[in-house]
Amino acid sequence: MNAKSDVDSNATLNAFREVVRSRRSVRRFTDEPVPEHVLDDCLELAMLAPNSSNLQPWEFFVVRTPDLKTRLADACLGQNAAKTAPLLIVVVARTDTWREHSRMALEQWPEEKLPGIVEKYYSRIAPIHYNQGPFGLLGAAKKAAGLFVGLSRPVPRGPYSKSEMKVWATKSTALAAENLMLALRAHGYDSCPMEGFDECRVRRLLKLPRKGLVTMVLAAGKRSDKGVYNRQYRFERDTLIHYL
């Protein structure tokens, strides 16, 4: 690696470090709107997050209409972040789009030739792997088979139920939400991921799909002078990081 590459690499690392370290959960925002081009770019970057089987089990609902945003802030228990942010983004995990997205993965394959292993996965393996069947019976059967086969070799363990499908979809959706928050910070804006909300009211307000799981409500905008309540701290790394 030459000197210029070293400089470029260090600059990239320092910029990334600054984005990560300056990202905070902001509780109060100014009324400055988030420009459309910034929002579009952040959502585009969010959708580039890694996700299970590239099935992209997420949806983003951007709420900017004043009346709806006020009612959504109320459903978020009246938190200051929700009340003061110029826009709220409801991040939803979907457990029911895998079949359609498997089809889309084949139709929208970005290369001229579709590899056989890709065609096999999305047309034959995915429909079994993610399908739980009526009353969860297929999931139960797959779990029993996995327990038996797993005695002699490694096997995928799940998802074997509707609840495990929720975990599956939420993991990928949370990765996309993190991309979104970091993208906002890189553009000079801030966010606050909120778990404190009445999901029933949020779902009703936005008319969300029945099988959509509200992962978080993200407040976004410019932080006010009193937007960060305290200094950032984390627990001692030795208690949470283990080298084996």
Side-chain angles (χ1 to χ4, degrees):
M1 186 178 291
N2 58 40
K4 184 180 183 302
S5 296
D6 286 340
V7 171
D8 291 343
S9 178
N10 288 335
T12 300
L13 176 59
N14 289 335
F16 178 70
R17 181 181 287 112
E18 174 60 24
V19 168
V20 173
R21 290 192 176 278
S22 63
R23 187 218 58 81
R24 298 296 306 276
S25 293
V26 171
R27 308 294 178 173
R28 291 181 184 273
F29 296 87
T30 70
D31 57 3
E32 178 181 335
V34 178
E36 193 74 24
H37 73 277
V38 170
L39 177 61
D40 286 346
D41 187 54
C42 291
L43 290 168
E44 185 73 23
L45 292 171
M47 292 179 63
L48 292 177
N51 61 97
S52 180
S53 295
N54 199 28
L55 289 174
Q56 304 170 50
W58 51 53
E59 288 186 340
F60 304 89
F61 294 82
V62 181
V63 179
R64 292 179 292 190
T65 307
D67 178 61
L68 183 58
K69 189 166 72 67
T70 297
R71 288 187 288 162
L72 180 56
D74 182 61
C76 290
L77 313 180
Q79 295 182 64
N80 287 327
K83 290 193 299 183
T84 61
L87 65 87
L88 298 173
I89 304 172
V90 180
V91 183
V92 177
R94 297 293 300 269
T95 62
D96 59 336
T97 57
W98 61 265
R99 186 177 280 106
E100 179 186 0
H101 288 190
S102 292
R103 176 182 56 77
M104 291 167 60
L106 293 174
E107 293 176 350
Q108 299 179 25
W109 184 255
E111 299 172 9
E112 183 176 350
K113 181 175 177 58
L114 178 69
I117 190 171
V118 173
E119 195 280 332
K120 178 181 178 181
Y121 182 81
Y122 288 113
S123 64
R124 296 168 55 187
I125 297 177
I128 296 174
H129 186 66
Y130 297 107
N131 191 357
Q132 306 308 314
F135 308 106
L137 294 177
L138 179 57
K142 289 188 296 181
K143 184 174 183 178
L147 290 172
F148 177 75
V149 176
L151 294 174
S152 58
R153 62 181 176 87
V155 295
R157 307 281 180 159
Y160 292 141
S161 65
K162 292 181 179 179
S163 61
E164 290 183 12
M165 285 294 290
K166 290 180 179 180
V167 173
W168 167 80
T170 299
K171 286 191 290 185
S172 288
T173 302
L175 292 173
E178 177 71 1
N179 266 27
L180 177 56
M181 288 184 278
L182 292 178
L184 283 163
R185 182 82 288 271
H187 274 285
Y189 292 83
D190 289 285
S191 61
C192 182
M194 294 175 287
E195 288 187 294
F197 52 81
D198 184 328
E199 184 170 3
C200 291
R201 282 179 166 79
V202 173
R203 294 171 61 85
R204 189 162 58 245
L205 277 173
L206 275 60
K207 299 180 174 60
L208 295 179
R210 184 172 61 87
K211 292 186 179 180
L213 179 68
V214 182
T215 302
M216 66 186 73
V217 179
L218 192 70
K222 280 277 189 181
R223 72 175 72 178
S224 73
D225 292 338
K226 298 181 179 180
V228 177
Y229 285 176
N230 51 264
R231 293 175 57 187
Q232 189 178 58
Y233 72 98
R234 289 294 184 266
F235 303 134
E236 290 292 332
R237 57 181 288 145
D238 289 346
T239 65
L240 302 174
I241 301 174
H242 311 282
Y243 295 97
L244 305 176

